[in-house]
Amino acid sequence: MAEAKQENPLRVNPLGGMSQFRRLFAFVQPYRRRLAVMLAAVVLGSILSLAGPYALQFLIDAVFSRGDATLLNQITLILIGIFALQSVVYFVRGYLLATIGERVLADMRVTLFEHLQRLSLSFFNERRTGELVSRLTNDVTTVRGVVTADISTALSQTLTFIGAFILIIVTNWRLTVFMLVLIPLVMLIAILFGRRLRTLSTAVQDQLADATTVLEEAIGGVRVVQSFTREAYEVGRFRQSIQQTLLLAFKRIRLSSLFGPLASFMGFAAVISIFWFGGHEVLAGRLTAGQLLMFLILTLTIAGSIGQFSSLWTGLQEALGASRRLFEILDAQPEIADAPGAPPLPPVQGRITFEGVSFAYRDNPAGAAILTDITLDVQPGEVLALVGPSGAGKTTLVNLVPRFYDPTAGRICVDGFDIRTVQVHSLRSQIGIVPQETLLFGGSVRDNILYGRLGASEAEMIEAARAANAHDFILQLPNGYETIVGERGVKLSGGQRQRIAIARAILKNPRILLLDEATSSLDSESEGLVQEALEHLMRDRTSVVIAHRLSTIQNAHRIAVLEEGRLVELGTHEELMAQDGLYARLYRIQFKLDESPATTSISAADAGPVTTPRRRSFSFLPGLG
Ligand code: ADP
């Protein structure tokens, strides 16, 4: 919405617009034959729409001037023929227009989606999901209008306009001049009114969007609202916002209620004036009654065309804005891409080496380093626990391994291969990731597990589910493996979702495992099952675990302690306790907290890059995180 507000139609560069249109027409290109047929229908339709009134004048004159019954019959037949042909042409035009439009729409969506899938994480960090979704839905629809409906309208209106004009000038130039004085006057008032109405409509929309934001916040944050007992405050906020919308809506209603009657009065007055002037021309013998009727019909046609042009212009501006937003996506280049000629990473043992790795997020205002000079060697098969206060950079460090981001200095090697020199796909295919919060896709449990390896057999999938301690609970679901989960399906508990994520990772069978342990507390039964599943998962793999549980830390071969982006301590639990540094201190605090009744997290909550919102804490003890 903020996007739309920034849009100033007057500032659209017409030349930039042209090149945008050229690019847009690339989408229509595959359907150019249909398009040509459609345009031919448009031309024919315009001619026929003029032929009707033209023939009509002879019909009237046959009756009133000549009293010729045979002529009357003939012209009636011709007119019926014209209208019949017109319907056929309109059908062809409408059908082709709609089908080409739908095809272009579908192609655009798929192209955009394909492109989005290739973009790097940093692109998504900088944009809101809702905005991207809106581009794929609303903007695409707006743009579709231009490349199909609008060109057809522009062509047909231009042709009709020119044709009608020539016809009336030829018929009676005096009346044409009279009409030329009258019409602009009426149009001007209509346009001024229209513009004001549009501004007001936009204002109403924007105001409504503000109210929607309040709504979204209050619904999304209902827990916060209720915990602070701020219901009345939120209602007040919403009411105020709605009140504003109402006031603007009233303003618009006043204007639009006035507009309708005024416009119809002006229209009728114009018609009668033309009739009056034309009547005198008829009396003077310079015009027949039939010609006067044709004149009136064509005048209305011309007025209609002018009206269409103005709305066409607005549509064009909107579409330019929408298409610019679409091309912005299509022009975004994935930051993380294969180096030219990069070979695939061969199957690895799973040794990970960080060599002097530093990193800063691009959008970080201060450009502050999030990671500084990390040097760390993780052996094949080792379980390394990452611990440290919230915001220390644990998630960021883990995200560098699958190249979600590239380090700003230093390098990361897997089995001695600098990961920037091999194909990204081959690297990621050997890495399994189990995030804190598991996203289940809308689909069956089976689909969700198979996401780990699409080609896996039924037996392999069930084996993975068993190893992840998920098989038993899955069988108890209403439809077993076919049960639909995700947004619209059965709601699973946190522990169940985690076990499905683990099954997914086991099925993928990667050499390297990156694990962000859930901080949310699970009931003790679930806790044990998840723990056991994780042990299965980590067996014989190199695992880097952002650890929150004591059991994980105790089972880890080594513990790496991060503080403000630096690796401050590295060793086993015993070694680090003996060092009596940060690790020992945090460990003791955690114990103390555990004994005191008011258990609080020692670090502030913050938002992470991969899963938001999430709770962050440094905790060792099961169920405490
Ligand atoms: P941890 O996992 O140890 O809690 P993170 O790696 O998530 O720490 O975050 C480290 C720092 O980087 C924090 O200050 C956080 O605010 C910042 N940060 C995390 N993700 C992003 C992002 N996508 N863009 C900018 N800053 C980020």
Side-chain angles (χ1 to χ4, degrees):
M1 210 65 218
E3 269 292 307
K5 266 194 227 169
Q6 285 166 10
E7 215 88 90
N8 180 352
L10 297 176
R11 251 192 267 139
V12 173
N13 169 9
L15 283 177
M18 275 323 288
S19 72
Q20 271 182 49
F21 279 123
R22 209 164 309 133
R23 289 183 72 183
L24 280 181
F25 278 104
F27 284 100
V28 191
Q29 192 71 1
Y31 312 112
R32 55 186 179 279
R33 279 215 200 95
R34 286 158 196 270
L35 193 72
V37 175
M38 197 265 290
L39 291 179
V42 168
V43 173
L44 195 57
S46 304
I47 294 173
L48 289 172
S49 75
L50 294 173
Y54 186 75
L56 192 65
Q57 67 168 311
F58 296 112
L59 183 103
I60 300 295
D61 290 341
V63 177
F64 295 101
S65 313
R66 306 210 200 165
D68 185 339
T70 326
L71 190 61
L72 172 65
N73 294 345
Q74 284 169 351
I75 295 176
T76 307
L77 281 179
I78 291 177
L79 267 170
I80 288 180
I82 290 175
F83 291 133
L85 190 57
Q86 204 172 18
S87 324
V88 174
V89 169
Y90 282 174
F91 162 74
V92 173
R93 186 181 75 175
Y95 179 79
L96 285 178
L97 195 67
T99 48
I100 296 173
E102 290 304 319
R103 283 165 199 265
V104 167
L105 190 69
D107 291 352
M108 276 189 196
R109 288 200 172 128
V110 173
T111 307
L112 276 165
F113 186 77
E114 261 179 349
H115 188 75
L116 274 178
Q117 292 288 308
R118 288 191 11 234
L119 290 177
S120 310
L121 226 55
S122 50
F123 175 87
F124 297 94
N125 279 338
E126 290 157 20
R127 286 165 184 81
R128 284 170 300 140
T129 315
E131 186 198 317
L132 289 175
V133 170
S134 147
R135 290 193 187 185
L136 252 81
T137 48
N138 304 338
D139 284 350
V140 173
T141 314
T142 312
V143 167
R144 173 220 11 208
V146 172
V147 291
T148 53
D150 288 358
I151 45 170
S152 133
T153 316
L155 182 63
S156 79
Q157 294 307 324
T158 312
L159 289 177
T160 323
F161 183 85
I162 296 173
F165 220 85
I166 294 175
L167 275 180
I168 60 172
I169 290 182
V170 169
T171 309
N172 185 305
W173 65 266
R174 286 169 220 266
L175 189 53
T176 307
V177 172
F178 178 75
M179 185 276 275
L180 279 181
V181 178
L182 211 63
I183 290 278
L185 241 155
V186 179
M187 297 305 299
L188 189 72
I189 293 178
I191 287 171
L192 287 181
F193 250 96
R195 195 169 289 170
R196 179 90 190 107
L197 262 180
R198 264 201 305 280
T199 325
L200 273 175
S201 297
T202 317
V204 173
Q205 288 302 322
D206 287 350
Q207 182 54 45
L208 198 61
D210 283 352
T212 312
T213 312
V214 177
L215 185 69
E216 277 172 5
E217 280 175 9
I219 291 177
V222 66
R223 242 176 279 254
V224 181
V225 174
Q226 294 193 353
S227 68
F228 283 93
T229 60
R230 279 282 180 262
E231 293 89 340
Y233 173 80
E234 290 298 330
V235 171
R237 218 152 67 101
F238 190 63
R239 176 174 293 138
Q240 198 185 1
S241 209
I242 287 291
Q243 193 66 29
Q244 290 290 338
T245 318
L246 197 64
L247 288 179
L248 278 170
F250 280 165
K251 236 181 178 173
R252 194 190 60 180
I253 289 169
R254 269 200 298 277
L255 201 69
S256 64
S257 319
L258 190 63
F259 182 58
L262 187 72
S264 74
F265 166 74
M266 307 250 309
F268 285 127
V271 168
I272 291 300
S273 307
I274 289 173
F275 215 89
W276 165 77
F277 193 97
H280 281 289
E281 291 291 292
V282 173
L283 292 178
R286 284 191 287 261
L287 198 69
T288 67
Q291 283 174 329
L292 178 57
L293 182 68
M294 175 188 78
F295 200 101
L296 267 177
I297 295 178
L298 291 182
T299 305
L300 295 179
T301 311
I302 290 174
S305 294
I306 299 175
Q308 292 258 17
F309 280 132
S310 91
S311 69
L312 209 61
W313 181 245
T314 331
L316 203 75
Q317 301 293 345
E318 267 171 30
L320 273 181
S323 72
R324 207 187 44 226
R325 289 194 291 272
L326 293 184
F327 287 129
E328 209 177 280
I329 295 184
L330 285 178
D331 290 340
Q333 289 301 318
E335 274 167 52
I336 308 292
D338 290 344
L345 177 68
V348 295
Q349 295 269 304
R351 178 172 174 192
I352 312 170
T353 0
F354 296 85
E355 299 173 11
V357 169
S358 297
F359 178 78
Y361 285 102
R362 205 179 49 178
D363 57 333
N364 199 312
I370 300 293
L371 296 173
T372 313
D373 198 19
I374 304 260
T375 296
L376 183 63
D377 196 3
V378 192
Q379 296 303 317
E382 180 178 4
V383 175
L384 180 87
L386 276 181
V387 297
S390 170
K394 304 181 291 292
T395 312
T396 307
L397 186 70
V398 163
N399 278 341
L400 295 182
V401 180
R403 280 193 78 197
F404 288 144
Y405 306 96
D406 278 337
T408 37
R411 60 176 199 157
I412 299 172
C413 296
V414 170
D415 278 26
F417 293 91
D418 182 336
I419 55 174
R420 272 177 303 199
T421 63
V422 295
Q423 288 171 15
V424 180
H425 183 82
S426 64
L427 168 72
R428 291 185 185 161
S429 68
Q430 299 190 52
I431 298 177
I433 300 177
V434 180
Q436 257 192 1
E437 297 279 336
T438 303
L439 176 80
L440 295 184
F441 290 99
S444 62
V445 171
R446 173 196 309 278
D447 296 338
N448 269 286
I449 298 179
L450 285 178
Y451 208 83
R453 180 152 55 94
L454 294 178
S457 70
E458 181 74 11
E460 287 171 322
M461 186 206 51
I462 292 180
E463 198 187 303
R466 274 189 211 280
N469 276 340
H471 182 68
D472 292 341
F473 92 77
I474 292 171
L475 287 188
Q476 282 166 18
L477 293 173
N479 290 316
Y481 280 91
E482 307 310 327
T483 309
I484 301 296
V485 290
E487 186 92 323
R488 296 199 191 156
V490 171
K491 297 275 175 286
L492 298 181
S493 76
Q496 291 172 328
R497 281 207 305 274
Q498 275 170 22
R499 281 178 276 158
I500 288 187
I502 293 168
R504 214 187 246 173
I506 290 177
L507 198 60
K508 184 174 181 183
N509 194 21
R511 287 305 312 147
I512 295 174
L513 189 70
L514 306 175
L515 199 91
D516 195 353
E517 250 180 7
T519 49
S520 50
S521 43
L522 303 172
D523 58 83
S524 48
E525 191 201 338
S526 215
E527 177 80 46
L529 291 170
V530 169
Q531 205 56 47
E532 202 178 273
L534 283 176
E535 275 157 29
H536 281 146
L537 176 61
M538 290 194 278
R539 193 170 299 154
D540 302 326
R541 303 180 211 277
T542 311
S543 309
V544 178
V545 189
I546 299 176
H548 300 283
R549 299 177 207 290
L550 181 64
S551 51
T552 312
I553 291 165
Q554 284 177 334
N555 288 336
H557 297 107
R558 282 187 302 166
I559 300 160
V561 186
L562 283 187
E563 186 184 27
E564 293 182 4
R566 290 172 195 277
L567 179 64
V568 289
E569 285 165 32
L570 181 67
T572 60
H573 173 71
E574 288 72 25
E575 285 167 2
L576 295 187
M577 286 309 282
Q579 266 183 32
D580 202 20
L582 176 67
Y583 178 81
R585 202 164 69 244
L586 290 171
Y587 187 77
R588 276 195 300 269
I589 291 172
Q590 195 63 57
F591 261 122
K592 234 191 198 153
L593 282 175
D594 191 36
E595 283 156 11
S596 72
T599 307
T600 44
S601 162
I602 58 160
S603 52
D606 67 359
V610 181
T611 48
T612 47
R614 61 196 243 188
R615 285 206 292 147
R616 293 302 193 77
S617 62
F618 178 79
S619 64
F620 293 142
L621 299 176
L624 237 193

